[in-house]
Amino acid sequence: TIEEKGDVKKFVLDIAETYKDNKSEIDGLISKLASGWDIERLIRIDKDILRIAICELVFIKTQPPKVIINEAVELA
């Protein structure tokens, strides 16, 4: 598992760095696709879950989309 390999910290740092490098594009996607919702009015944890999922789906791409989406739903 990922925990046994000690890759959890690296994975978390990869997501954080990816978001930092692509913040405006990621938040722009959320704003564009969350029709009827102002990104500033979304609850912080919901925004963060969306940001993590978009980082993985659009930039990191190490897991199949259905796995990433399932994980985001479980977190939510």
Side-chain angles (χ1 to χ4, degrees), residues 36-73:
W37 285 90
D38 177 3
I39 189 171
E40 297 306 317
R41 294 190 65 205
L42 287 173
I43 297 170
R44 175 75 188 241
I45 190 69
D46 292 344
K47 281 191 284 193
D48 290 343
I49 292 169
L50 289 169
R51 288 168 171 157
I52 291 167
I54 291 171
C55 281
E56 290 187 78
L57 285 166
V58 177
F59 298 99
I60 297 174
K61 300 179 184 180
T62 57
Q63 298 293 323
K66 66 182 181 180
V67 172
I68 296 166
I69 294 166
N70 184 59
E71 300 249 342
V73 170

Side-chain angles (χ1 to χ4, degrees), residues 10-24:
K10 181 187 179 316
F11 182 67
V12 170
L13 292 173
D14 285 347
I15 290 172
E17 190 70 27
T18 299
Y19 177 69
K20 186 177 103 180
D21 292 344
N22 301 284
K23 180 184 184 329
S24 61

